[in-house]
């Protein structure tokens, strides 16, 4: 890993909540000020109010010279994506900072170009693996990022499916012990992954049949129907059925 990139991201996280110290407006008047010409009058002589926005902000922790040079040059979004995933997988990073890094990553993959860069950057494998992480919040963010990356993006849909992403995603959705929030986020990712992409929808049906073990409720509902990814009503029905099943399992 590029250590300087990791340090830069950690610095960004540590200082993301740094704000100027609160100061109260002060009006300064000086009776001892020496007379001066009108074009050189001092603020003290005019009773100017000093607002908090004029105060010098609290200085964040300093970066070393190499990182400052990198910052001045501007790390690419691809480098930031790689750094974010490495921070998330760093066992020494706190959960709070991992989630901040994940949030930044999710915003980056909203861009079509960045989402399509997941493959050349080798990030699909670690992202998919994070859907099976022991920490529930990590699993939720992983599914969220998948849903964002594949939404209305045929290239990302293809790569996600080719990398074996549907199986762990459906597993998260159908797992009884999984949190309700995580399962719903998995449905969101499933919906994004299958719309207008026939191979993913067919893989979804296969995975659901495997999990349900021939359950008549599912098999009978769409028996005899052609499952077509461009049929938005059908996709909505399947996702709606999944959400209903999740809600019922939570109540049970």
């Amino acid at each position: 890993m590029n250590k300087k990139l990791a340090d830069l991201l950690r610095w960004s996280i540590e200082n993301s909540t740094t704000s100027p110290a609160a100061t109260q407006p002060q009006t300064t008047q000086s009776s001892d000020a020496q007379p001066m010409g009108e074009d050189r009058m001092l603020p003290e002589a005019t009773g100017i109010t000093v607002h908090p926005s004029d105060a010098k902000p609290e200085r964040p922790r300093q970066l070393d010279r190499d990182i400052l040079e990198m910052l001045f040059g501007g790390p690419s979004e691809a480098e930031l994506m790689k750094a974010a995933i490495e921070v998330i997988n760093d066992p020494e990073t706190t959960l709070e900072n991992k989630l901040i890094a994940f949030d930044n990553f999710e915003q980056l993959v909203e861009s079509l170009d960045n989402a399509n860069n997941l493959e050349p950057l080798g990030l699909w494998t670690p992202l998919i693996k994070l859907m099976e992480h022991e920490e529930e919040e990590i699993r939720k963010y992983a599914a969220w990022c998948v849903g964002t990356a594949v939404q209305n993006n045929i290239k990302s849909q293809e790569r996600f499916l080719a990398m074996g992403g549907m199986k762990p995603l459906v597993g998260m959705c159908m797992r009884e012990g999984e949190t309700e929030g995580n399962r719903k986020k998995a449905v969101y990712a499933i919906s994004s992954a299958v719309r207008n992409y026939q191979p993913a929808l067919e893989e979804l049906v296969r995975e659901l049949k495997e999990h349900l073990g021939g359950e008549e409720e599912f098999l009978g509902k769409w028996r005899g129907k052609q499952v077509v990814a461009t049929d938005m009503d059908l996709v909505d029905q399947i996702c709606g059925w999944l959400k209903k099943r999740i809600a019922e399992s939570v109540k049970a």
Side-chain angles (χ1 to χ4, degrees):
M1 173 185 179
N2 187 326
K3 183 177 183 301
K4 295 185 179 62
L5 276 176
D7 290 342
L8 175 58
L9 184 58
R10 289 194 181 92
W11 176 86
S12 175
I13 290 170
E14 291 171 4
N15 292 283
S16 62
T17 58
T18 301
S19 60
T23 58
Q24 296 297 324
Q26 297 180 355
T27 301
T28 59
Q29 294 182 342
S30 174
S31 59
D32 298 326
Q34 296 297 320
M36 301 184 70
E38 290 183 358
D39 60 338
R40 297 186 61 196
M41 287 192 67
L42 293 174
E44 291 84 350
T46 60
I48 292 176
T49 299
V50 180
H51 295 281
S53 59
D54 300 322
K56 186 176 181 180
E58 178 183 336
R59 296 184 65 186
R61 180 174 65 83
Q62 295 298 302
L63 291 167
D64 66 40
R65 182 181 298 275
D66 289 341
I67 295 179
L68 284 172
E69 289 177 357
M70 181 182 299
L71 182 61
F72 182 77
S76 69
E77 292 188 344
E79 291 172 320
L80 291 174
M81 289 165 62
K82 290 180 66 176
I85 290 296
E86 294 194 28
V87 167
I88 293 164
N89 281 312
D90 184 353
E92 296 183 1
T93 302
T94 65
L95 176 60
E96 180 183 4
N97 286 344
K98 287 182 179 184
L99 296 183
I100 291 173
F102 236 144
D103 187 59
N104 291 336
F105 184 83
E106 193 273 336
Q107 293 181 54
L108 285 167
V109 297
E110 287 179 352
S111 161
L112 190 70
D113 290 339
N114 287 339
N116 289 339
N117 261 340
L118 287 171
E119 179 190 9
L121 293 173
L123 297 181
W124 269 122
T125 296
L127 179 58
I128 290 171
K129 187 175 180 181
L130 287 168
M131 290 194 294
E132 298 178 300
H133 196 278
E134 61 182 10
E135 171 54 54
E136 66 181 55
E137 286 292 308
I138 295 294
R139 297 194 300 273
K140 180 176 75 174
Y141 265 89
W144 187 359
C145 289
V146 166
T148 299
V150 301
Q151 192 170 50
N152 301 316
N153 186 342
I154 184 67
K155 185 175 180 180
S156 286
Q157 287 174 312
E158 290 174 349
R159 296 320 306 160
F160 171 71
L161 185 63
M163 298 302 293
M166 188 62 73
K167 189 176 186 67
L169 185 58
V170 173
M172 181 188 299
C173 175
M174 302 299 291
R175 192 160 45 242
E176 294 292 339
E178 188 60 84
T179 66
E180 181 181 9
N182 282 19
R183 295 174 74 180
K184 287 182 176 179
K185 193 63 73 175
V187 174
Y188 156 72
I190 287 171
S191 175
S192 297
V194 304
R195 289 182 188 274
N196 294 309
Y197 187 50
Q198 188 66 23
L201 183 57
E202 293 174 357
E203 181 67 15
L204 169 64
V205 172
R206 283 192 291 270
E207 287 294 331
L208 287 175
K209 286 180 178 180
E210 183 177 329
H211 276 273
L212 295 168
E215 185 176 314
E216 184 64 24
E217 180 187 0
F218 177 76
L219 297 180
K221 192 173 183 63
W222 291 285
R223 180 176 286 124
K225 290 185 179 181
Q226 184 179 7
V227 181
V228 181
T230 55
D231 186 342
M232 295 298 102
D233 288 338
L234 177 63
V235 174
D236 287 340
Q237 286 177 33
I238 294 175
C239 292
W241 181 85
L242 287 170
K243 291 177 182 177
K244 180 181 177 181
R245 183 184 177 88
I246 292 169
E248 290 174 347
S249 69
V250 171
K251 292 178 182 178

